[in-house]
Amino acid sequence: VHEVTGHTTGLWGESEWKDCLDRYDVLVGTSEEFRRAIVDHGFLGFRHISLFVLDECHHAVGKHPMVQLLTHLHSDDCPDSTRVLGLTASFANRA
């Protein structure tokens, strides 16, 4: 298990992300960190992810990074094998 944060990944390129994937089976981080790596830069792809867990998924509205990640997941270049689990303690979003 490895925690990825803006402090650790802010200067990472494709090779650093690849090394991280080679060393760890589980990556934990914010949706913003994964949005930067997947959507903005293409350093990671959903082809590298078998299970994508979104905590506090009731925040996935508007332009939230979770929305951008899920939109990217449903694009043509993403595999059907990636599974998504959304977790929330809230019954409804009052946003």
Side-chain angles (χ1 to χ4, degrees):
V1 176
H2 184 67
E3 180 182 11
V4 293
T5 68
H7 292 110
T8 58
T9 64
L11 299 175
W12 281 14
E14 188 170 3
S15 64
E16 288 84 5
W17 279 104
K18 183 182 179 319
D19 289 343
C20 188
L21 288 173
D22 290 343
R23 293 180 63 196
Y24 302 101
D25 292 326
V26 177
L27 301 180
V28 178
T30 65
S31 55
E32 178 63 21
E33 291 306 312
F34 288 106
R35 183 195 58 81
R36 286 183 196 145
I38 295 170
V39 177
D40 292 356
H41 302 293
F43 297 146
L44 289 179
F46 281 102
R47 68 188 176 282
H48 300 114
I49 300 170
S50 58
L51 176 63
F52 194 62
V53 180
L54 299 169
D55 191 22
E56 303 279 332
C57 68
H58 57 275
H59 292 295
V61 294
K63 294 184 179 182
H64 194 280
M66 284 186 224
V67 173
Q68 296 172 3
L69 285 161
L70 292 170
T71 299
H72 188 76
L73 172 66
H74 289 288
S75 69
D76 292 337
D77 60 344
C78 293
D80 291 336
S81 61
T82 301
R83 299 293 180 238
V84 177
L85 173 62
L87 303 172
T88 184
S90 300
F91 288 107
N93 185 338
R94 290 182 171 72

